[in-house]
Amino acid sequence: MTDNITSVGGGSRPDTGVSALKGRTGAGAPAETRGKTTIADGVVAKIAGMAAREVPGIYSLGAGMARAFGAMRERVPGGGGGAVTRGVKVEVGERQAAVDLDVVVEYGVPIVDVAGSVRTNVISAVERMTGLEVVEVNIAVDDVHLPDEEEEAEPDEGRVR
């Protein structure tokens, strides 16, 4: 049986790193230490997008053009898969992640408070679900949704009634 030690950081001793993965390989090693887990950027983006949308005061995610293209994409059969990640950009490393969000807030809510709540919720969700350390959540408020700006729904004009 061999010991497999990987450490992060520039310390002289292996146990002085920021985060160390210590695991044994071979038949006698515990199952959870055998192998490597990688998490795709899209997974982290979906988690961050869902967590941001849960915060009261967030109307939607995405800048103006991204929302417009996303609305068109959702009307095309099979093209609506990116709605959760619209307005979300992530960078994922081996142990850390950074998140950038473009948001539209509801009129009348304190933007600083909403941004703080979004950061808290996104960091909590991503760290809990992935085990990655979230180093930053940058928020760009692109618009304020006014109550009288309700998007007009087009009548459903299907071929069959």
Side-chain angles (χ1 to χ4, degrees), residues 61-144:
L61 269 65
M65 289 304 289
R67 288 196 327 265
F69 284 127
M72 288 183 353
R73 192 179 316 121
E74 288 173 5
R75 292 185 180 164
V76 175
V84 174
T85 60
R86 185 180 329 130
V88 181
K89 294 177 189 159
V90 299
E91 291 181 37
V92 179
E94 287 187 28
R95 292 181 178 86
Q96 296 179 328
V99 181
D100 296 325
L101 300 169
D102 292 323
V103 301
V104 178
V105 298
E106 295 282 355
Y107 175 78
V109 299
I111 294 174
V112 173
D113 294 345
V114 170
S117 296
V118 168
R119 278 190 185 90
T120 301
N121 210 34
V122 167
I123 290 170
S124 173
V126 170
E127 288 184 348
R128 178 177 45 85
M129 294 178 72
T130 67
L132 295 168
E133 175 192 5
V134 178
V135 293
E136 64 182 7
V137 177
N138 299 311
I139 300 172
V141 179
D142 293 317
D143 200 1
V144 174

Side-chain angles (χ1 to χ4, degrees), residues 12-87:
S12 58
R13 298 182 325 175
D15 60 343
T16 61
V18 175
S19 174
L21 296 176
K22 297 181 182 179
R24 297 182 310 182
T25 60
E32 63 271 8
T33 64
R34 297 184 204 174
K36 180 180 178 181
T37 302
T38 57
I39 300 171
D41 292 7
V43 172
V44 177
K46 282 185 179 183
I47 294 168
M50 291 298 294
R53 284 178 173 81
E54 292 174 352
V55 175
I58 294 294
Y59 177 73
S60 67
L61 269 65
M65 289 304 289
R67 288 196 327 265
F69 284 127
M72 288 183 353
R73 192 179 316 121
E74 288 173 5
R75 292 185 180 164
V76 175
V84 174
T85 60
R86 185 180 329 130

